[in-house]
Amino acid sequence: MQEEKISSYLCRHLEHDYGYLSTLFSSFENITIERYLILQRIERVKELLIYNEQTLSAIAFQAGYSTVQYMTSQFKQYTGMTPKEFQKLFLNRRKFIDRLC
């Protein structure tokens, strides 16, 4: 079964043309619906990377990406670093509770 596109979903549930919805959304948020959704997915990936409990494959699947390569490409495009670079940077800066004293 093929997953429904977000544009179709929004049109069906909000009963408006996607062009209208997109223009309306952009006028309030100063960002396109597509870019907004991508940024939300990237934030979810960051959150999962910080937890450091899953493989990149599991994170990609959980964030709705079809492949790790696509997730990595989009992540780098929007953050300037790969998921592994982000994870390493964050983990190097993190202070673990048992090392605070």
Side-chain angles (χ1 to χ4, degrees):
M1 184 174 162
Q2 189 175 10
E3 190 173 316
E4 182 178 22
K5 290 183 177 183
I6 191 70
S7 57
S8 300
Y9 177 86
L10 291 173
C11 291
R12 187 165 46 82
H13 285 280
L14 299 175
E15 298 179 356
H16 284 285
D17 176 72
Y18 186 73
Y20 170 77
L21 294 172
S22 180
T23 301
L24 183 64
F25 185 88
S26 295
S27 71
F28 282 97
E29 297 297 326
N30 294 319
I31 189 173
T32 65
I33 294 171
E34 181 182 77
R35 186 169 175 87
Y36 176 83
L37 293 172
I38 290 169
L39 292 172
Q40 292 303 306
R41 288 170 86 187
I42 297 295
E43 287 304 312
R44 179 65 177 144
V45 170
K46 287 179 181 178
E47 181 182 342
L48 294 170
L49 288 168
I50 288 168
Y51 286 133
N52 196 27
E53 296 174 350
Q54 299 180 37
T55 65
L56 283 181
S57 295
I59 290 171
F61 177 77
Q62 193 169 350
Y65 287 97
S66 55
T67 66
V68 173
Q69 292 81 5
Y70 182 53
M71 178 190 72
T72 299
S73 171
Q74 200 167 66
F75 190 92
K76 185 163 185 163
Q77 178 184 354
Y78 283 86
T79 66
M81 60 184 87
T82 67
K84 284 293 187 185
E85 290 169 339
F86 172 84
Q87 191 175 46
K88 184 177 180 182
L89 177 67
F90 181 82
L91 292 176
N92 285 341
R93 298 168 83 189
R94 184 174 178 192
K95 293 186 169 103
F96 294 93
I97 197 161
D98 60 338
R99 297 184 188 152
L100 288 177
C101 299

